[in-house]
Structures are given as structure tokens and as C-alpha cells.
């Protein structure tokens, strides 16, 4: 996750517009599987992989990330609903939070100047990595 955050701040300059490559497609597939199952920092990782694959502004990458993450989560939700134990009492407020975030998030992303969304996402990813590392190893 920390590496994904660093790639957001300083993405490689060798990527060509529209040139995805097999490695990029495999990475995107793996990250969306991870996002659908775990979810933790999945959006950040999808954003980082898309930033490596495409030379688009951060707002467009964020929109692409939202579609990819939404599809990954929809497939996972169907799988969990059919085959896994689901706490349905928690599902409604969780769904409401996702819908509210999906409605408000793009409005905020469109108003952020320049690469600030990229830096904000990288800083959040590093903060989560530091906190998880601290919780795991500081005992």
C-alpha cells in the first residue's frame, strides 16, 4: 500500500497514452479482486494502477477508479449475499454511506486544483500504512 501511495506522487513517465500492456491489465485485475474481497485501501490501489496505465488528469482517474471499484464490489456483494454469512442489519447503513460518499466525492474531486487529489490520496495511503504498521509492531 505504501508503494502505491508513492507511485501516486511520482508516477513513472514512461507510460504512453492508451498503452495498457498485459502487466497493467493483470495488475488491475488482481487489485480489483483484492478490492472486492477485502476493500481496505482498494480504491487507492486501483487509483495507483490506473495512474500507471493512463496519462489522464487525477479527476478522470478517480472516476475510472470509482467505476472499477463499484463493479468489483458489486460482483463481491452478489457472491457474499449468495454464499456467505451477511449481517443484513449492518448492510443498509453501509450502503447508505457508500451512496452518500459516491454522491459527494466526485463533487469534491472536480473542485480540487491540479495534482492535489493525487497528493491527498498518497498522504492518506501513507497515513494508513503507518497506522497499521504502528498497531502491528509497536506492542
Amino acid at each position: 500500500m505504501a508503494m502505491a501511495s508513492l507511485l501516486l506522487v511520482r508516477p513513472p513517465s514512461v507510460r504512453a497514452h492508451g498503452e495498457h500492456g498485459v502487466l497493467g491489465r493483470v495488475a488491475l485485475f488482481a487489485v480489483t479482486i483484492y478490492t472486492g474481497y477485502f476493500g481496505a485501501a482498494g480504491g487507492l490501489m486501483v487509483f495507483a494502477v490506473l495512474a500507471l496505465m493512463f496519462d489522464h488528469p487525477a479527476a478522470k482517474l478517480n472516476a475510472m477508479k470509482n467505476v472499477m471499484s463499484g463493479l468489483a464490489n458489486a460482483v463481491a456483494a452478489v457472491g457474499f449475499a449468495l454464499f456467505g454469512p451477511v449481517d443484513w442489519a449492518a448492510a443498509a447503513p453501509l450502503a447508505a454511506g457508500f451512496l452518500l460518499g459516491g454522491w459527494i466525492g466526485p463533487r469534491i474531486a472536480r473542485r480540487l486544483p491540479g495534482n492535489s487529489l493525487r497528493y491527498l490520496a498518497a498522504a492518506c495511503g501513507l497515513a494508513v500504512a503507518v497506522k497499521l504498521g504502528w498497531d502491528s509492531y509497536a506492542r
Side-chain angles (χ1 to χ4, degrees):
M1 182 168 50
M3 180 57 84
S5 297
L6 293 175
L7 288 173
L8 289 175
V9 174
R10 192 163 182 231
S13 58
V14 295
R15 60 197 160 128
H17 179 71
E19 186 178 315
H20 309 153
V22 174
L23 186 58
R25 291 178 183 153
V26 169
L28 189 58
F29 180 75
V31 169
T32 54
I33 294 293
Y34 172 88
T35 300
Y37 189 76
F38 293 108
L44 178 67
M45 290 189 288
V46 171
F47 189 90
V49 171
L50 289 172
L52 290 173
M53 292 175 67
F54 299 101
D55 191 22
H56 294 309
K60 186 170 183 174
L61 291 172
N62 191 51
M64 293 167 65
K65 176 217 39 137
N66 289 341
V67 170
M68 293 296 232
S69 296
L71 291 171
N73 283 318
V75 170
V78 169
F80 283 124
L82 294 176
F83 304 112
V86 177
D87 181 359
W88 291 106
L94 184 62
F98 283 142
L99 290 173
L100 183 62
W103 181 65
I104 293 173
R107 287 170 171 72
I108 294 171
R110 278 189 229 113
R111 287 174 173 74
L112 292 174
N115 283 331
S116 59
L117 180 62
R118 185 181 299 257
Y119 291 116
L120 179 62
C124 289
L126 285 173
V128 169
V130 167
K131 188 210 183 304
L132 291 174
W134 181 264
D135 289 349
S136 296
Y137 300 110
R139 296 174 199 226

